[in-house]
Amino acid sequence: MAGILAVSSVVMGNLAFRAGLGVKRWAAIGLVLGPVGYPLFNTHKRFAIKRAQGKGSVQITL
């Protein structure tokens, strides 16, 4: 069980670094919640992108 939480912490920290979010915060959440924190991370990342874009903008993904 502790191994799963440790791996989840490292993975969440890496994902947060790639997304430009707080690494320590998401690593701690990964350590406490484990894989259950992943949907929370995705939601937070999506809201951060929308907040950075502003209102009425369109994002084109390839």
Side-chain angles (χ1 to χ4, degrees):
M1 183 68 172
I4 293 172
L5 294 176
V7 169
S8 180
S9 175
V10 171
V11 169
M12 295 274 284
N14 189 13
L15 290 173
F17 179 75
R18 289 182 183 186
L21 300 174
V23 176
K24 290 180 189 176
R25 176 188 314 165
W26 288 105
I29 290 172
L31 186 62
V32 172
L33 296 178
V36 176
Y38 185 70
L40 179 66
F41 173 78
N42 280 335
T43 303
H44 186 82
K45 184 173 83 169
R46 187 177 65 233
F47 285 152
I49 290 170
K50 285 199 173 280
R51 187 172 44 243
Q53 285 178 344
K55 287 188 175 181
S57 65
V58 177
Q59 180 182 7
I60 298 173
T61 57
L62 300 174

